[in-house]
Amino acid sequence: MESKNNISVEYPVSGMACAACAISVESSLSSVKGINNASVNFATRTVQINYNSEIVSPVDFKNAVDAFGYNLILESESENIVEKEQLNEIKALTRDVIGSFAFSVPVFIMAMFFHHYHNLNWIMMILTFCVIIFFGKSFYKIAFKQASHGKANMDTLVALSTGFSFLFSLLNTVYPQWLVSNGVEAHVYYESAAIIISFILTGRLLEARSRLKTSSALKNLIGLQPKTIAIIDGDEEREIDLRVAEPGMIIKVRPGERIPVDGILVSGQSFVDESAITGEPIPNEKIKGEKVFAGTINQSGAFIFEATGVGNNSVLGQIIKAVKHAQGSKAPVQNLADRIAGIFVPVVMGIALLSFGLWIFIGGFPFITHAVLSLVTVLVIACPCALGLATPTAIMVGIGKGAENGILIRDAASLENACKISVVAFDKTGTLTEGKPEVEKIVWELGYNSDINITAILSAESASEHPLAKAISQYFLQKEFKIENIINFKNHAGMGITAEIANNSIGIGSIKFLDNLGMKPSLHIINESERLLKLGYTVVYAGLGNKIIVAIALTDKIKNSAVKAITMLKEMGIKTILLTGDNIQTAKIVSEKLDLDNFEAALLPSQKAEYVINLKKSGKIIAMIGDGINDAQALTEANVSMAMGKGSDIAIDVADITLVTSDPIKVSQAIKLSKFTIRAVKQNLFWAFVYNVIGIPVAAGILYPFFDYLLNPMIAGAAMALSSVSVIMNSLRLRYVKF
């Protein structure tokens, strides 16, 4: 059992430059006593920490991370601070890129076109030293902190390659006789050190700018909240900061304004555009007693409402929280990249030293310049950044794209699993149908159609939360019947209800349920209900004492988009199944109208779950789509569970994916989004692996024996910088996919 002192939190981390940095942050936190688990998402620059609050505090987290040269942000306003830090990072990188190129371009020109003027070496040395000291110093500072803890990251590779290149050139500038006396020309490589730093800084600038775009969906959601709200305090109207809003406040909203928090109208009337939350383009009319939601737009009249959900407790707040959590989670496919990134830098350093040694061993002292070039180039071209960004950037953009289209994905694993779905099992009511059943016909046992019996049925059904019960009670309430007190009310999940009223036992539910209670139908009720069932109606029975006294026929219209939704799934090669607690005849009619592959009817919640389990055992990857409490068990058992956003809280709580608009078309869209995203992840990983598998051997000089070719360190630096940017740009393509 998990301790009540165990807390899970998420903090932003700044200063990470590559996937190896993320591994360093994880390891630094994992070594702190009291931290149970730490997981860093390199793309979002966040860390999720589960810790025991009795043993360790957030200050300890910060100290551990800061010791490695990074910055853990603890401030409560971290959202604003992170955005400021991102903008400051871009500003600083822009300054460094401009400054480094201003110094390195002259070095490059002198090295390329005036290299025979040896007296220029001193000028190149001074200019390169300025590049290192003023614009590339962060590489060396972080590399030193990493080394002091026995760690290495991307900054280590940059610092070693440029530092070694500069020191070797410095030696040949100050004391060229060392090489000349051994018959080797004393070359200098200042331009490599200077240009490499400039290229890598440029890559980081492009990456930082691109990274801002990957979080645009979340920013758009956050942007739906106004900064201030107008509250009614007695006879006074005044503006306050949204952050201090509390439930119970009376708030005024004018035409054209965004509604700041969730609430209930107390006066006024208007039409509200709720497309930002539900995706429905048609504005909804709001009158007294209606709910309104944060982030939606008041279109016409002014109204006053009472706040019920503010901050994270509003619908919009929950969506933002869910998207942030999902974007910060890791997909299973990322595990391989993480393991490689953890050992990548030490392996690259080993390969660089090996290539240096082999050049000396094979060619002797005259090949020392080749050895130096290969060492520098291997260190420069190696890029764990692309590996680290391959999965999380695509996941982040994909989840954001889903949120913008009314598809809320719980975590990265759910998104990854959705692309494997081979069977989709639908609940019926509220999923494929409108979920708003209406009473169409009532068949009474002769002599039992009385006000007393109607009142008994109305009173019992009013205590139930079942959609059919609500439809029945609403029907009789419209006939102006009154609700009486009942006792011993009991809900029998998936079967019916029982209660007592005026010393009479009443049961309402399926004919089988009432039969088990000892309530028997007459031949008249049996014949009429069979006729209604053949017509596709759902029939609910009510009984008093030992007799079924009425059969109530209800209908639930199939959603307009249901046929298209099923067609889209079939075009993807996915089987469709209906799992319903409704009767066989109704299920058959719905199944035939929608051209489903199969259906199972009259199922209890446990039987739905058992059916899902059996499908899984047969090797199928199954998605369960539902909206009710009775679907929760089956949703839990499915490989991927999807809940309709207008369904019960329990169904939504257990679901991997929530379809905000309750539109069944969103099922196929969620699967397509998953396929697009995972395809982008695989493309990113493929090119990241290929880049390093090809680039490192070429940098080491594998082509030299065949083509007399050594890769220039400057080209290696440009390639390394562009590899990370290409991964991000490929992920950003997901923002424009159509599904």
Side-chain angles (χ1 to χ4, degrees):
M1 183 176 177
E2 190 171 308
S3 169
K4 64 180 181 181
N5 297 314
N6 285 345
I7 300 173
S8 292
V9 292
E10 182 178 276
Y11 293 114
V13 179
S14 63
M16 292 191 295
C18 67
C21 298
I23 302 297
S24 294
V25 173
E26 282 186 0
S27 62
S28 69
L29 288 167
S30 299
S31 64
V32 177
K33 185 179 180 182
I35 293 180
N36 304 317
N37 180 58
S39 177
V40 174
N41 187 309
F42 178 49
T44 60
R45 301 305 199 265
T46 57
V47 57
Q48 292 182 351
I49 305 171
N50 181 274
Y51 70 101
N52 189 318
S53 59
E54 284 191 336
I55 300 174
V56 67
S57 72
V59 175
D60 298 314
F61 311 157
K62 184 171 178 61
N63 292 337
V65 172
D66 289 3
F68 279 76
Y70 310 110
N71 180 29
L72 187 75
I73 301 170
L74 299 178
E75 287 84 349
S76 58
E77 296 299 318
S78 61
E79 195 71 55
N80 295 329
I81 289 173
V82 169
E83 188 169 352
K84 283 182 181 177
E85 286 223 353
Q86 286 180 320
L87 294 173
N88 288 337
E89 179 189 9
I90 290 173
K91 186 177 178 181
L93 282 169
T94 303
R95 183 192 63 232
D96 289 344
V97 166
I98 293 172
S100 64
F101 272 113
F103 283 85
S104 59
V105 168
V107 175
F108 176 79
I109 292 172
M110 283 186 274
M112 292 295 104
F113 305 105
F114 304 99
H115 54 85
H116 48 283
Y117 294 104
H118 294 292
N119 56 327
L120 291 179
N121 287 355
W122 291 93
I123 298 174
M124 289 192 290
M125 180 194 74
I126 294 170
L127 292 175
T128 304
F129 185 72
C130 290
V131 172
I132 291 172
I133 291 298
F134 295 116
F135 310 111
K137 61 181 181 293
S138 62
F139 298 121
Y140 300 90
K141 286 171 65 177
I142 294 176
F144 178 78
K145 285 192 176 184
Q146 290 283 315
S148 65
H149 290 86
K151 301 286 185 180
N153 66 357
M154 189 66 213
D155 295 286
T156 307
L157 298 182
V158 176
L160 283 175
S161 59
T162 57
F164 188 84
S165 179
F166 178 79
L167 291 174
F168 181 76
S169 301
L170 178 64
L171 174 65
N172 290 343
T173 300
V174 175
Y175 186 60
Q177 293 82 3
W178 178 63
L179 287 181
V180 173
S181 63
N182 288 280
V184 179
E185 188 175 352
H187 289 293
V188 294
Y189 301 102
Y190 292 120
E191 79 285 357
S192 294
I195 290 291
I196 285 168
I197 288 175
S198 298
F199 279 158
I200 294 173
L201 286 172
T202 302
R204 289 192 177 178
L205 175 60
L206 294 173
E207 181 187 325
R209 286 180 171 173
S210 300
R211 205 165 61 239
L212 277 177
K213 295 179 183 177
T214 63
S215 59
S216 61
L218 189 57
K219 288 181 180 178
N220 290 339
L221 288 171
I222 294 171
L224 295 176
Q225 300 170 307
K227 303 284 185 193
T228 60
I229 58 175
I231 66 167
I232 307 297
D233 189 1
D235 296 329
E236 180 187 1
E237 179 182 328
R238 58 191 177 89
E239 282 201 356
I240 64 169
D241 194 298
L242 175 65
R243 291 173 294 182
V244 300
E246 295 178 354
M249 284 184 169
I250 305 300
I251 300 170
K252 184 175 182 178
V253 180
R254 299 175 181 83
E257 292 182 344
R258 285 196 182 274
I259 297 169
V261 298
D262 292 358
I264 298 176
L265 254 70
V266 294
S267 68
Q269 177 272 338
S270 184
F271 284 87
V272 176
D273 178 1
E274 297 182 331
S275 58
I277 302 296
T278 66
E280 299 290 345
I282 301 173
N284 291 319
E285 184 177 11
K286 300 294 181 180
I287 58 176
K288 184 178 179 180
E290 294 271 352
K291 291 181 179 179
V292 292
F293 302 102
T296 58
I297 301 173
N298 179 27
Q299 287 200 330
S300 52
F303 60 82
I304 295 172
F305 71 97
E306 180 183 350
T308 57
V310 302
N312 287 337
N313 293 321
S314 68
V315 171
L316 178 61
Q318 291 296 318
I319 291 173
I320 292 171
K321 185 179 178 181
V323 173
K324 284 176 67 177
H325 169 78
Q327 288 187 334
S329 61
K330 286 186 179 182
V333 73
Q334 190 176 342
N335 293 333
L336 175 62
D338 281 352
R339 286 197 296 270
I340 292 172
I343 61 170
F344 187 88
V345 174
V347 168
V348 168
M349 291 169 65
I351 293 172
L353 289 173
L354 180 63
S355 65
F356 180 86
L358 283 174
W359 276 107
I360 299 296
F361 176 77
I362 295 170
F365 197 77
F367 273 66
I368 190 169
T369 54
H370 292 62
V372 170
L373 279 176
S374 68
L375 184 145
V376 170
T377 310
V378 168
L379 292 173
V380 169
I381 202 168
C383 185
C385 304
L387 282 173
L389 290 167
T391 299
T393 51
I395 294 293
M396 190 175 177
V397 176
I399 288 172
K401 176 76 173 178
E404 290 176 341
N405 288 273
I407 302 168
L408 294 183
I409 301 164
R410 183 181 293 273
D411 51 35
S414 303
L415 181 62
E416 181 179 342
N417 291 335
C419 73
K420 307 170 187 173
I421 292 169
S422 57
V423 178
V424 173
F426 289 93
D427 172 51
K428 180 179 75 70
T429 306
T431 303
L432 292 173
T433 63
E434 294 290 348
K436 297 177 181 177
E438 298 175 352
V439 174
E440 288 286 323
K441 188 174 180 61
I442 298 177
V443 177
W444 288 96
E445 179 61 35
L446 297 177
Y448 283 86
N449 183 3
S450 67
D451 290 356
I452 293 175
N453 290 338
I454 292 174
T455 300
I457 294 169
L458 168 61
S459 302
E461 289 287 63
S462 296
S464 173
E465 292 296 319
H466 195 283
L468 296 180
K470 288 183 177 181
I472 293 169
S473 59
Q474 186 64 32
Y475 175 82
F476 286 124
L477 282 171
Q478 289 176 349
K479 305 290 184 181
E480 298 186 354
F481 287 95
K482 304 297 182 184
I483 299 173
E484 301 289 342
N485 291 329
I486 59 172
I487 60 173
N488 296 330
F489 175 84
K490 188 174 182 181
N491 178 46
H492 304 264
M495 295 183 287
I497 61 171
T498 55
E500 291 182 22
I501 182 169
N503 296 322
N504 286 319
S505 297
I506 184 170
I508 304 175
S510 67
I511 196 167
K512 181 179 178 181
F513 171 63
L514 296 187
D515 184 64
N516 290 336
L517 295 176
M519 299 176 179
K520 306 299 180 182
S522 67
L523 185 60
H524 169 65
I525 291 290
I526 291 173
N527 290 336
E528 285 298 308
S529 62
E530 284 180 353
R531 183 178 64 83
L532 292 170
L533 289 170
K534 287 179 181 178
L535 293 173
Y537 290 110
T538 297
V539 181
V540 174
Y541 303 86
L544 282 174
N546 61 358
K547 190 176 186 67
I548 293 177
I549 63 169
V550 66
I552 304 172
L554 301 99
T555 185
D556 186 11
K557 294 179 181 177
I558 293 174
K559 290 181 177 179
N560 293 331
S561 59
V563 173
K564 184 178 179 182
I566 300 303
T567 301
M568 290 171 70
L569 290 171
K570 285 180 173 291
E571 288 173 351
M572 296 166 66
I574 296 173
K575 287 188 65 177
T576 54
I577 298 172
L578 177 66
L579 301 180
T580 180
D582 214 333
N583 63 76
I584 293 175
Q585 187 63 31
T586 300
K588 182 180 179 182
I589 290 172
V590 171
S591 180
E592 288 175 348
K593 284 183 178 179
L594 295 176
D595 193 25
L596 299 174
D597 293 304
N598 195 11
F599 73 90
E600 294 289 333
L603 297 177
L604 297 174
S606 58
Q607 292 174 318
K608 282 187 182 181
E610 187 178 346
Y611 189 91
V612 170
I613 291 170
N614 289 335
L615 273 177
K616 285 167 63 179
K617 286 180 179 177
S618 68
K620 305 290 185 183
I621 304 298
I622 183 167
M624 177 68 199
I625 323 297
D627 78 323
I629 294 172
N630 61 331
D631 300 318
Q633 193 174 347
L635 287 167
T636 304
E637 295 295 343
N639 298 103
V640 179
S641 53
M642 299 188 196
M644 295 297 178
K646 296 178 182 177
S648 73
D649 290 341
I650 292 177
I652 293 170
D653 285 344
V654 302
D656 299 317
I657 299 172
T658 299
L659 310 176
V660 177
T661 62
S662 296
D663 186 344
I665 283 179
K666 295 294 179 184
V667 175
S668 62
Q669 290 181 347
I671 297 171
K672 285 182 179 179
L673 177 63
S674 171
K675 289 180 181 292
F676 287 138
T677 304
I678 299 307
R679 184 186 305 158
V681 167
K682 290 178 178 178
Q683 289 169 347
N684 289 347
L685 287 172
F686 173 79
W687 288 113
F689 278 116
V690 166
Y691 166 81
N692 284 292
V693 167
I694 295 175
I696 291 175
V698 170
I702 197 170
L703 298 179
Y704 188 82
F706 308 102
F707 304 103
D708 196 28
Y709 175 77
L710 276 178
L711 185 64
N712 190 301
M714 291 183 291
I715 297 175
M720 191 279 285
L722 291 173
S723 64
S724 298
V725 176
S726 64
V727 164
I728 294 177
M729 297 306 291
N730 187 52
S731 298
L732 285 172
R733 288 190 308 110
L734 291 169
R735 295 169 62 189
Y736 308 105
V737 297
K738 303 289 185 183
F739 51 76

